[in-house]
Amino acid sequence: MANSEIDIIIPPWGGELLVEILELIDFENIRNKWILGYSDISSLLLAITLKTGIATAHGTNLIDLRGEFSDETTAMWQSVLSTKTGESIIQRSSKHYQKEWQHDNPTPCVFHLTEQTLWKTVANHKVKIQGRLLGGCIDIIRHLIGTPFGDVQNFRNQHINREPVIWYLENCEMNTADLRRSLVQMKLAGWFDHCSGLLFGRSPANTPVDNYTVEDVYQDLAAELDIPIIYDIDCGHVPPQITFINGAYAEVEVAEGNGTVLQIFRP
């Protein structure tokens, strides 16, 4: 981060114990440059944005860029990260997603995109929300709560003029009870104060507990917070995924299973 000859950092994969490095980072002297990734990397991304106001990019990682070409959704990372201050860029929901990993059956574009993508809403009708984007892998970023790296209120006051927040979240390994506990913890910590909406990525997890499904989790949360919830979006461990910029102003729309994410890079 301190090397002026390096313009972007794209980790190859996550990092199960990445949280251990946060207290070793000199946040006051890091340079403004892109970091792109997801999964465990999202704790680093969110911590940097909350602590410094520097934008970070939640999206593909280096391993998923090793193919001969990228699908349309994944390939947008270059266009998004090339967008200049004051400009905007729009991304659209994918046409198909990957149901499961097939590492023994490689393809030229890495993924096997076979299932039709459908973005859904708890209200089952057209939704449009606006606000500043924050988020990541909920398994990981929940551990920032109560630490110096998870002060959402200070970020709102110092860096985004107290504008509302759109949270995008994705579940890697948790069952529905653990997901619910984590969301309640985020709510009690004030992370959902002044939140205009929630986005949830497709997940390989979300195993029901005693018939408590992930749709039940979303319904409960929507009722408690009285905000729109959009789910099964292109984000996280079920590729492909849209590139979300922590700190960017966004307008997210969903209608008839299709979604658009307009991001505006304004101070």
Side-chain angles (χ1 to χ4, degrees), residues 115-129:
E115 311 301 308
Q116 183 181 5
T117 296
L118 289 173
W119 286 23
K120 303 170 185 175
T121 66
V122 167
N124 291 318
H125 58 65
K126 181 178 179 180
V127 167
K128 180 177 181 180
I129 54 179

Side-chain angles (χ1 to χ4, degrees), residues 127-131 166 196-199 228-230 250-253:
V127 167
K128 180 177 181 180
I129 54 179
Q130 301 171 321
I166 299 173
S196 58
L198 290 169
L199 314 176
I229 289 182
I230 301 168
E251 296 178 359
V252 182
E253 292 190 65

Side-chain angles (χ1 to χ4, degrees), residues 84-252:
K84 296 180 172 54
T85 301
E87 297 179 347
S88 64
I89 188 164
I90 192 166
Q91 297 174 86
R92 305 184 187 280
S93 55
S94 66
K95 296 178 181 178
H96 296 90
Y97 71 90
Q98 174 174 283
K99 184 178 181 179
E100 59 187 14
W101 293 95
Q102 300 179 40
H103 297 298
D104 59 345
N105 181 25
T107 71
C109 68
V110 179
F111 304 130
H112 297 79
L113 305 177
T114 60
E115 311 301 308
Q116 183 181 5
T117 296
L118 289 173
W119 286 23
K120 303 170 185 175
T121 66
V122 167
N124 291 318
H125 58 65
K126 181 178 179 180
V127 167
K128 180 177 181 180
I129 54 179
Q130 301 171 321
R132 296 281 187 156
L133 290 167
L134 289 175
C137 179
I138 190 171
D139 312 46
I140 305 304
I141 65 172
R142 61 179 174 167
H143 296 298
L144 301 182
I145 293 173
T147 75
F149 313 106
D151 193 340
V152 175
Q153 187 60 44
N154 182 71
F155 171 77
R156 289 190 66 253
N157 293 337
Q158 296 295 321
H159 299 292
I160 60 170
N161 300 313
R162 299 184 180 180
E163 291 180 272
V165 170
I166 299 173
W167 283 96
Y168 64 90
L169 302 166
E170 61 99 4
N171 174 14
C172 177
E173 298 176 335
M174 295 186 290
N175 63 35
T176 55
D178 199 3
L179 175 64
R180 172 63 176 163
R181 286 190 293 267
S182 300
L183 291 166
V184 170
Q185 183 179 5
M186 294 172 75
K187 180 186 72 171
L188 296 177
W191 277 27
F192 296 148
D193 293 349
H194 309 289
C195 176
S196 58
L198 290 169
L199 314 176
F200 286 92
R202 295 179 296 263
S203 173
N206 289 332
T207 305
V209 176
D210 293 335
N211 297 318
Y212 185 54
T213 69
V214 73
E215 288 79 14
D216 294 328
V217 174
Y218 299 153
Q219 290 278 359
D220 290 345
L221 197 62
E224 289 172 1
L225 300 179
D226 193 24
I227 57 175
I229 289 182
I230 301 168
Y231 62 99
D232 285 357
I233 71 165
D234 297 295
C235 177
H237 289 74
V238 182
Q241 53 185 313
I242 281 174
T243 302
F244 289 97
I245 303 302
N246 286 318
Y249 179 83
E251 296 178 359
V252 182

